[in-house]
Amino acid sequence: MKKVKFIYNPYSGESTIALDLDKIIMVHQKYEHIIVPYRICNEYPMSNAFADINEGYTYVLIAGGDGTIDSVVNEMKKRNINLPIAILPAGTANDFANYIGMPHDVCDACNQILESNVKKIDIGKINDKYFMNVASTGLFTDISQNMDINLKNTIGKLAYYVKGIEQLPNFRKLKIKVTSEEVCFDGDMYLMLVFNGQTAGSLKFAYNAKVDDGLLDVIIIKAGIMKNILNIFIKMLRNEHLENVEGIIYFKTKRLEVECFEDIVTDIDGERGPDFPLIIECEKNGISILGTKI
């Protein structure tokens, strides 16, 4: 029997993944795989999850949101563990799992994973941290970091929009310098998003992004009059194309440098990111994955 390392966050989303453990074991046993679980909690660091990793393991199964996925992937990169990963969407934010076509039904997701072939996909890197879906900075980027966990788990992605609306009166221009082969921008902005995936808060901002093209999709919302900004956010909420829209810079690149001297933070899939200056890169074919429909 082949072994699968199963790392799960019992507090993700509606905290139901622990109740699905029997279903996960059942489906894997049908395919002659043994589940070896590791429960993420404050008492035990993520590094303990891989203490027993050897050639007997076939892949790492992750149950949680985008932040949980990033935590596991960063630990694997740190330890040079090259096993494929697979994702069970179980968090408040499941943008990357949704993008790659993972079902929310646990049995369907497990079957899809176990019947799939390994695919190599890109991964983003911001300084010394890796991210699967999106890195960001500017207005709104500290929302998920400062949000009450009960609010996130109760109303999900709506919580992000509620907190975002609360910040509208605090809009201010942020001086930033972005340098890449394709675009150089030295000016004022409100928000910058760098996508490996396509969505943030279930909104498809980076509709042209591909996870296997060796490129990141960059969106910069330039500072301007409030009327233009409101129109841009309406377009975003409607999932309309953002290319050639006044007030937006949208481009693809494999590497960019970002300088900023404002009192703002960076965000990696809902978790605190590194401090400025930033080097953001796409690591082509940086990780292997199972179950993807893309």
Side-chain angles (χ1 to χ4, degrees):
M1 299 271 283
K2 299 175 182 178
K3 292 190 293 184
V4 175
K5 174 60 66 175
F6 175 47
I7 301 175
Y8 69 98
N9 183 349
Y11 307 109
S12 288
E14 297 178 356
S15 304
T16 60
I17 193 63
L19 301 176
D20 291 323
L21 184 57
D22 183 63
K23 296 177 183 177
I24 295 168
I25 293 172
M26 176 191 69
V27 175
H28 278 78
Q29 282 185 179
K30 184 176 69 174
Y31 288 85
E32 298 185 346
H33 284 66
I34 296 173
I35 289 288
V36 181
Y38 185 85
R39 180 180 184 272
I40 299 172
C41 58
N42 292 331
E43 292 81 4
Y44 299 98
M46 177 68 73
S47 56
N48 286 6
F50 298 101
D52 64 337
I53 287 292
N54 55 40
E55 64 277 0
Y57 283 92
T58 57
Y59 74 94
V60 178
L61 180 63
I62 308 166
D66 294 320
T68 301
I69 297 167
D70 284 357
S71 295
V72 174
V73 167
N74 273 280
E75 187 62 35
M76 291 176 66
K77 285 289 188 179
K78 179 181 176 181
R79 288 172 163 259
N80 293 316
I81 296 171
N82 295 316
L83 289 171
I85 65 167
I87 301 168
L88 296 179
T92 302
N94 298 303
D95 284 301
F96 193 76
N98 292 336
Y99 166 51
I100 64 172
M102 294 307 304
H104 283 257
D105 179 84
V106 167
C107 291
D108 289 345
C110 288
N111 279 308
Q112 181 169 306
I113 291 165
L114 288 160
E115 292 175 1
S116 68
N117 296 318
V118 174
K119 177 182 176 66
K120 286 190 175 295
I121 61 171
D122 304 337
I123 188 171
K125 187 177 183 182
I126 176 170
N127 290 358
D128 60 346
K129 297 289 186 181
Y130 291 89
F131 64 96
M132 295 297 295
N133 192 55
V134 62
S136 62
T137 190
L139 301 173
F140 306 143
T141 53
D142 62 346
I143 290 176
S144 58
Q145 299 165 32
N146 297 325
M147 191 182 302
D148 181 83
I149 188 64
N150 292 321
L151 180 64
K152 284 175 68 175
N153 290 339
T154 301
I155 62 175
K157 67 179 182 180
L158 180 59
Y160 294 95
Y161 304 146
V162 170
K163 297 297 288 186
I165 291 171
E166 289 178 1
Q167 283 199 9
L168 285 176
N170 301 321
F171 263 29
R172 62 187 177 93
K173 296 179 179 180
L174 302 169
K175 180 71 172 176
I176 197 167
K177 183 178 181 181
V178 179
T179 306
S180 72
E181 289 184 5
E182 297 80 8
V183 170
C184 290
F185 174 73
D186 189 350
D188 296 326
M189 65 101 185
Y190 287 138
L191 177 65
M192 176 174 160
L193 302 158
V194 182
F195 284 93
N196 185 50
Q198 288 189 341
T199 64
S202 297
L203 297 177
K204 188 178 287 188
F205 296 126
Y207 44 85
N208 280 329
K210 296 180 180 178
V211 80
D212 56 359
D213 62 356
L215 300 170
L216 299 169
D217 282 47
V218 183
I219 299 174
I220 301 172
I221 301 178
K222 296 192 291 185
I225 62 175
M226 188 55 64
K227 178 182 177 181
N228 289 342
I229 297 304
L230 290 175
N231 287 336
I232 288 171
F233 280 113
I234 289 171
K235 286 180 177 292
M236 287 180 165
L237 291 172
R238 291 175 176 173
N239 287 329
E240 294 181 9
H241 287 195
L242 301 178
E243 290 173 314
N244 302 316
V245 173
E246 184 179 0
I248 287 184
I249 300 173
Y250 187 157
F251 64 99
K252 289 176 176 285
T253 187
K254 61 182 178 182
R255 186 182 189 274
L256 65 155
E257 298 180 11
V258 185
E259 298 175 71
C260 183
F261 300 97
E262 304 279 355
D263 183 22
I264 56 175
V265 299
T266 66
D267 180 282
I268 306 175
D269 288 331
E271 305 296 331
R272 176 69 181 263
D275 295 328
F276 293 97
L278 308 174
I279 296 177
I280 309 177
E281 302 171 281
C282 180
E283 188 173 301
K284 185 171 175 59
N285 297 331
I287 197 162
S288 299
I289 194 166
L290 287 162
T292 177
K293 289 291 188 181
I294 57 175

